Structure formats: structure tokens, C-alpha cells
Amino acid sequence: MSTDGNKKQFWKRNAAKVPGSIQHVYGAQHPPFDPLLHTTVFTSNKPPPATPGKPKKATTFQEFESITSDAWDVGDDDDELLAMAAQNLNIEVVMETANKVNNQIQLSLMVGEGDVTSPEVSFASQSSPYTDGRLVKSHSEAPIGSPKDAAGERAALHRQRSLPHRQPVIPLVARMADQNTSGTPAMTEREASRLDKFKQLLAGPNTDLEELRKLSWSGIPRQVRPITWKLLSGYLPANAERRDSVLQRKRQEYFGFIQQYYDSRNDEHHQDTYRQIHIDIPRMSPESLVLQPKVTEIFERILFIWAIRHPASGYVQGINDLVTPFFVVYVFEYIEEEVENFDVSSLQEEALRNIEADSFWCMSKLLDGIQDNYTFAQPGIQRKVKALEELVSRIDESVHRHMQQYEVEYLQFAFRWMNNLLMRELPLRCTIRLWDTYQAEPEGFSHFHLYVCAAFLVRWRKEILEERDFQGLMILLQNLPTMHWGNEEVSVLLAEAYRLKFAFADAPNHYKR
């Protein structure tokens, strides 16, 4: 048992390298709480200078995060003030403005997002019999019966427009063109043809992996994605006759690890690792999935067993995110509905065991190629961030110099891009589509990812160049507006990344100054 002194030094004890030890992550989204970094940084009452000067560089990202974490907080006390202000508003002016806003929203949705609408900003496009031809937020809205009601409506509308726009929640795999499940459109002729090609290729006695990679580069249909990922990752052999025996053997081997090692999570030299895993899992995305008790148990076992079997790195924040895509894809092998609305515990125990073991082995295969990202000092990530900086300086010098001007270091935002493989920047449906190509591309996770990050950064050049201070740039780069992204956006991103790879990969000195 640990002493009281050790408990006070929870994050600093066990400095010696032991199997499963935790390596702290610079720039992690959820670092251990440090009271010294969460105190008020600005204590002076002096007014700000009249003329803008060179922005002061934040000492650490934790300080910057703590300073700006409440930037969008709106107190409940504002309601009364807004209601008072609404008394002086002209309802006709409000409605005319709302009509203009509605038209702009509808136009933007038609151009960029099809028929996806936001419940916070959508308005009825047709007159309701209860509204006397006036614009309302929904057909179920009650009629306005008094000036007091009108004032309340005006206040609500004013408050709605004053708050930051909140994007609607989209299912994990919504807008995936290759879906053909309940609630999604039927497959097009082209999609059905691609699915047939996959099935024919997978049905042979020996799958041609090169042809499978070529076909998978442009995306894999959901119906064949589990078996295709297992083949492309090297988890399953190309020979169809050997697959069942290999699956059975590897699954038994994994649960042998569980029986042999999992009880050691309570040992003194492993309990810190297990505790950190237990803390990190609820912070993962999507919360609706990982907060299911059965899913939490599965993730804890996968991450703990991997950590103690890889003592060179141990558990590092960021590895936990890499389980999710595999888990979601292998759940799809047993269900047709969307996974975030599905109770995973309702699956049969055998199916859950298969999903867990397959996710463990495929995650292990992935990490074998990028393990230097998670060893001491994380040299793999540092090299990739430096390469990204050099590459961007060549392909878009304006963006590079703009970030230099406002003292934004690439490590401050790109560390997470490398550590989490863009999982925190993209919706899960986009990550799954991205990993289709990563699995099909040689050294996709270790090498091609660099060019994807470069294309991803330059994709936001207009927004980057419009920001004129350090904090604005950091807020943008840490919260890029990708919630509505789908197959189309990811396909364009991958095409640009492939163009960059074609131009620079075989001539690395070309992007070095």
C-alpha cells in the first residue's frame, strides 16, 4: 500500500520505468489538474493599451485554456435584461430580420449540408394556422395572445440570436454514402456496384490484398468494413480457409492475457496506470457510447492489457481514443442500427468477447507502426510536427508566416493532431472514413497522416488569415468547424493529401529550408 506521502505526490511518484507506467503528455486535452496553472493570471487593474501591440505569448497551453474556457459562458441573469430590452423592439423589424437570417441559413444548408437543419435556428417555412401568417420557430408554437407574450417571444428570439450558434447533434455515421441501414437513404447504383466488387474480392480462396487496398482507398462499404479492416491491418490472413482458426486462436490468446494480467491492476506498480485509464475513458468521444458500463469495462481491459505488454511506452493519453473506431466498426458486424442509440450490453456475450478481442489486436497492429509516438519524450510526434511545419512553409508560405507573426507554435495545436490521429478534430464518422484510406495506404498511420495534417491545416487558410491575435488563432485551431463533415469533405482532404505526398514524399529535402 502506498504511504500518505506518496498519495500527495500522486502524479510524480514512481519515476522509475516500470511496466505499464504512465508517460505524461505535453498538450494533452485533459492533463492532470495543477492548481498553479488554474489561478488568475492577470491581476493588474491597469487598462489595456490604446494601440494594439505585439501579442503576449502564453507561457503554457494550460494557462491559455484556463483563461479562455469561460469565453462563451452566459449567465441566467441575462434573461431579465434581454426581456427588458425586448420591450423597445419593433416586432416587424424583428420578424423581417429573422426572415433574412432564415433565408441565409436555408441557402447555406442547401449549398453545404443538404437537408440537415439545426433545431436552434430553423424556422417554419410555411404559415401555420395558429400564427396568422407570421414567422414562428415551429408549427407547434402557441399563438401570441397578449403584448406580454409578444415581449417574451421577442426576448427569446433576441437571446437566441445573441448566443453562439450551436450545431445540431448528428449520428456517428450519418451522411456516410455507403450506409444502407434504417434511417439512411437506399444505396445508389454506384454504391451497390462497389459493394459487389468488395464481396467478389473477399469471397475468393485467397484475397488479393493489393487489389483490396486499391478498392478500399476510396472508402469501404459498411457491410464489408469489419472483415476488410481485419485483412488490411494484418490481423487476418489472406487465405480464407485459415481465417476462422486464426480468429479463434487470437481471441483465446487475448482472454488468456486477461486471466493472467488483469488482476494485477490493483498492484501498487500498476494501479496508477489503471487509475489513469479509468479517468480518461469517460472523456472520450462519443460519450453516449463510452459511458455505457459494459463499454467502459471493455475499454479498460483493452488499454490495461496493451499498456503492461508494452513497457517501453506504457499507457499514454491519446492511446485511449484509438480503440473507438475499431470497436464501433466491429459492433456493426452484429447490428444494423446506429451504435450510439444501441445498448451494447444487449449483445450476446460471445459477440462482445469477439468485438473486444478483435479491437485489441487491431489497435495493437496500428500502434506497432507508431509506437515511437508514445515512448519517452514522444520523439515520433516531435519529428512529425517539425516535418509538418517545414511542409506547410513550402506549400502555403502565407499561412506559415501568419502563425509566426502571432507566435503560434505548431506544437501547440499539431501535437494533438499527431497524438490522436485527428480524432479530436473530426467527427467519428469522418475518422472511420479516413481510416479506410489509412489502412489501404502503405504506412498510412505513420507517414501519410503527415500529408493529411498539412492538407487539413491549409484547408482553413482563409479562417486562419482572418485571425489577428494569438488567442483567436488558438481558439480556431483547437475548435475547427468540422461537425457537419462527411464523405465528400474527407474525400477532398485525402485527394489533396495524396497530391502533396506525390510531390514531396520522394523528395524530402524539397520541403526543408
Side-chain angles (χ1 to χ4, degrees):
M1 297 297 292
S2 59
T3 63
D4 293 339
N6 285 337
K7 290 180 179 177
K8 295 179 181 179
Q9 300 294 327
F10 172 75
W11 294 107
K12 295 185 178 181
R13 65 190 178 93
N14 290 340
K17 299 287 288 183
V18 297
S21 61
I22 304 171
Q23 304 299 325
H24 300 301
V25 179
Y26 170 80
Q29 187 175 17
H30 302 285
F33 180 83
D34 187 346
L36 295 178
L37 298 179
H38 289 74
T39 56
T40 302
V41 177
F42 301 105
T43 57
S44 175
N45 293 324
K46 296 180 179 180
T51 58
K54 187 175 181 181
K56 184 178 179 180
K57 184 176 180 180
T59 56
T60 66
F61 180 73
Q62 287 91 342
E63 289 183 357
F64 163 74
E65 185 180 37
S66 65
I67 295 167
T68 61
S69 62
D70 61 348
W72 292 110
D73 286 349
V74 179
D76 295 334
D77 294 338
D78 293 341
D79 290 337
E80 183 177 355
L81 294 175
L82 289 172
M84 294 171 60
Q87 298 291 340
N88 299 321
L89 293 178
N90 187 308
I91 185 62
E92 294 180 359
V93 174
V94 172
M95 291 298 109
E96 181 181 357
T97 304
N99 271 308
K100 293 179 180 179
V101 173
N102 181 47
N103 292 336
Q104 292 175 357
I105 292 169
Q106 296 300 328
L107 179 60
S108 64
L109 293 175
M110 290 173 63
V111 173
E113 299 300 336
D115 59 354
V116 180
T117 58
S118 170
E120 285 84 7
V121 299
S122 62
F123 293 87
S125 59
Q126 299 177 355
S127 297
S128 168
Y130 302 104
T131 61
D132 300 326
R134 288 174 290 185
L135 185 66
V136 295
K137 290 178 287 183
S138 69
H139 287 290
S140 62
E141 207 169 45
I144 300 175
S146 66
K148 183 177 181 180
D149 293 335
E153 181 183 358
R154 292 194 297 269
L157 178 60
H158 183 76
R159 176 176 174 81
Q160 179 188 69
R161 294 176 56 202
S162 67
L163 293 176
H165 171 58
R166 294 184 300 164
Q167 295 175 327
V169 176
I170 301 178
L172 297 180
V173 292
R175 298 190 59 217
M176 300 287 282
D178 54 22
Q179 305 302 311
N180 188 23
T181 59
S182 58
T184 58
M187 285 190 296
T188 64
E189 183 178 349
R190 178 180 177 276
E191 292 163 356
S193 175
R194 278 181 54 80
L195 179 58
D196 288 340
K197 290 179 181 179
F198 271 98
K199 288 182 176 179
Q200 291 174 11
L201 194 57
L202 295 170
N206 283 283
T207 303
D208 188 335
L209 295 182
E210 286 303 316
E211 288 297 320
L212 186 62
R213 288 191 177 94
K214 292 177 183 177
L215 192 58
S216 300
W217 210 98
S218 300
I220 305 171
R222 167 175 168 164
Q223 295 88 335
V224 294
R225 186 175 275 129
I227 181 66
T228 304
W229 276 28
K230 292 172 188 177
L231 286 167
L232 293 178
S233 67
Y235 176 44
L236 286 184
N239 188 303
E241 294 181 354
R242 295 179 52 223
R243 289 174 193 166
D244 288 341
S245 60
V246 169
L247 277 176
Q248 184 177 1
R249 176 173 57 83
K250 297 297 286 184
R251 289 166 177 171
Q252 290 177 351
E253 185 177 354
Y254 169 73
F255 283 101
F257 295 152
I258 296 292
Q259 186 175 3
Q260 182 177 359
Y261 298 118
Y262 195 57
D263 286 342
S264 67
R265 67 188 184 280
N266 297 318
D267 295 349
E268 184 175 357
H269 59 291
H270 284 160
Q271 65 181 2
D272 286 356
T273 298
Y274 179 74
R275 184 180 305 172
Q276 187 61 44
I277 291 171
H278 186 76
I279 290 172
D280 286 346
I281 286 176
R283 299 166 171 167
M284 294 167 58
S285 178
E287 293 182 358
S288 58
L289 175 67
V290 299
L291 290 182
Q292 295 186 34
K294 180 61 70 174
V295 177
T296 298
E297 293 173 9
I298 290 173
F299 278 36
E300 286 177 351
R301 287 194 294 265
I302 290 174
L303 293 168
F304 181 78
I305 296 300
W306 188 90
I308 65 174
R309 294 188 73 246
H310 295 81
S313 62
Y315 173 72
V316 176
Q317 289 172 318
I319 293 177
N320 54 314
D321 284 319
L322 306 185
V323 184
T324 307
F326 291 114
F327 182 82
V328 170
V329 167
Y330 297 148
V331 167
F332 285 156
E333 198 169 5
Y334 299 92
I335 68 173
E336 293 185 354
E337 58 265 45
E338 306 304 345
V339 69
E340 74 270 31
N341 300 321
F342 181 76
D343 182 7
V344 175
S345 63
S346 65
L347 288 171
Q348 295 183 358
E349 188 63 29
E350 181 181 1
L352 288 171
R353 288 170 62 89
N354 294 344
I355 293 168
E356 179 176 350
D358 294 348
S359 299
F360 169 82
W361 286 116
C362 289
M363 186 196 73
S364 298
K365 289 283 187 179
L366 185 162
L367 288 171
D368 285 347
I370 58 172
Q371 192 169 352
D372 62 344
N373 284 9
Y374 306 104
T375 54
F376 178 73
Q378 299 179 268
I381 291 181
Q382 295 193 44
R383 287 195 299 268
K384 290 182 177 71
V385 171
K386 181 62 177 176
L388 175 65
E389 181 176 1
E390 294 171 344
L391 182 57
V392 172
S393 70
R394 286 298 187 183
I395 64 178
D396 198 323
E397 188 173 6
S398 297
V399 168
H400 178 69
R401 290 191 178 279
H402 187 75
M403 290 194 291
Q404 281 187 327
Q405 178 183 356
Y406 294 104
E407 299 184 343
V408 174
E409 300 289 342
Y410 281 74
L411 197 65
Q412 292 171 318
F413 64 90
F415 182 94
R416 193 171 77 183
W417 296 10
M418 303 298 178
N419 191 58
N420 301 84
L421 298 178
L422 287 176
M423 282 197 61
R424 294 297 177 94
E425 325 313 318
L426 299 173
L428 182 57
R429 60 185 177 276
C430 295
T431 297
I432 291 174
R433 168 63 188 91
L434 189 68
W435 283 25
D436 286 347
T437 298
Y438 280 0
Q439 305 241 31
E441 180 73 18
E443 298 182 317
F445 293 97
S446 59
H447 185 62
F448 186 62
H449 180 67
L450 167 65
Y451 300 97
V452 173
C453 289
F456 186 64
L457 179 61
V458 175
R459 160 67 176 77
W460 308 102
R461 74 180 313 276
K462 178 178 179 293
E463 291 82 356
I464 290 172
L465 295 177
E466 288 175 351
E467 295 293 340
R468 297 296 178 179
D469 57 62
F470 172 83
Q471 289 189 357
L473 281 167
M474 287 303 301
I475 290 174
L476 170 67
L477 292 169
Q478 292 287 345
N479 301 276
L480 292 166
T482 61
M483 172 172 281
H484 289 288
W485 273 33
N487 268 1
E488 299 82 0
E489 292 82 359
V490 175
S491 296
V492 172
L493 178 68
L494 289 168
E496 178 63 15
Y498 187 78
R499 186 187 69 82
L500 294 176
K501 180 190 174 187
F502 183 81
F504 294 99
D506 294 330
N509 290 331
H510 183 46
Y511 64 73
K512 291 183 178 179
R513 293 189 178 275

